[in-house]
Amino acid sequence: MQFYKKRDFGSFISDTFAFFKLYGKNYFKNFILLNGLLLILTVVVMVVGFREFFGAIFGSNMSGQSYYFEQYFQDNLGLIIIAGIVLFVLSTALMTVNLLFPVFYMKRAAEGQKEIKTDDIISDFKVNSKKVFIAYFGLTFLVMPVATAIFGFSYLLVFFFIGIFLLLFILPNLFSIITFLCYDYFNGNKGFFESLSYAIRSQFSYPNGREKSPYWKYWGATIILGLLFYIVSGFLSGVPMVLYILKLSTTAPDGNFEQNPFSGNFGIVIFFIYGLSTLVSTILMNVLYVNSGLMYYDSRTDLHQKMELAEIETIGNNE
């Protein structure tokens, strides 16, 4: 598969699925082996934490205790703070690993490596450990907060209708900028802010500035695959709520279920499904990450001819 080449809108989508057809089994095996423990820990903390949290919400005031919810927070403030810190560290670490895994994997694949092992990816993380830490702090404390603020402002404008159209453009653009930043930062010798600058500029023009803007094909490919991801993940995450409504409508009101609907076996099932949907959604995000990788390789027109010659030479050596 040729990575460094010009692609059109349709090629981004077809080549994304072609990538998984060619590398999918090896890709996801390495992804699960590398991220498995971190994923499980994050899901466990989320499931346990949210179960207690929602249990407290639904249980508040059900027994005539007007300050039940406030009392719950006062009694468990230390535990809530610790759980919040642990969840923050785990989720941001998982975010960084999820963003960088496809970067290292596709970089090796673009160099002609066929069988990529987990040790190879771990080695890439170790060799680039300084950059990984910079990326972690840069993404966590700079890029993501700014992106969240922009998204929040656009979301508020939904009430004025213009926000709906803004979100259709802002969300794909923010996602592409963040992923381009990661690809560019680890595919060259640029600094973090230099790669961030390139990630923003490359959404609107090629490096030479003489070719047609790639904006619409980048936006189109991202939003199409993003909508597919949203539909699948939305369906999975909606299952627990449907089960809760069905349980609520078919259970005789006795105060016990209403006070804490997530206790007992039902709560275990609900949060197991929720945890499973979170895992599946995280894995499915890789389709978007790989698509962004192909868009990044499309943007590097300065390397197209060089990499084409290198790939031809690699094929010749393999034969």
Side-chain angles (χ1 to χ4, degrees), residues 13-33:
I13 297 175
S14 61
D15 284 359
T16 296
F17 290 106
F19 172 89
F20 285 107
K21 184 178 180 181
L22 186 62
Y23 296 97
K25 184 177 180 181
N26 180 264
Y27 181 95
F28 285 116
K29 182 185 75 173
N30 285 302
F31 178 82
I32 293 171
L33 287 174

Side-chain angles (χ1 to χ4, degrees), residues 150-151 154 165-175 219:
I150 294 173
F151 169 77
S154 302
F165 299 101
L166 282 176
L167 287 175
L168 286 175
F169 289 95
I170 286 175
L171 282 177
N173 290 338
L174 288 176
F175 181 82
W219 175 82

Side-chain angles (χ1 to χ4, degrees), residues 166-204:
L166 282 176
L167 287 175
L168 286 175
F169 289 95
I170 286 175
L171 282 177
N173 290 338
L174 288 176
F175 181 82
S176 294
I177 288 170
I178 292 169
T179 50
F180 269 55
L181 162 63
C182 295
Y183 278 101
D184 193 64
Y185 188 44
F186 289 92
N187 277 277
N189 298 316
K190 297 178 184 176
F192 183 83
F193 289 102
E194 192 177 356
S195 290
L196 178 59
S197 174
Y198 175 81
I200 297 172
R201 288 183 286 106
S202 60
Q203 303 303 308
F204 304 97

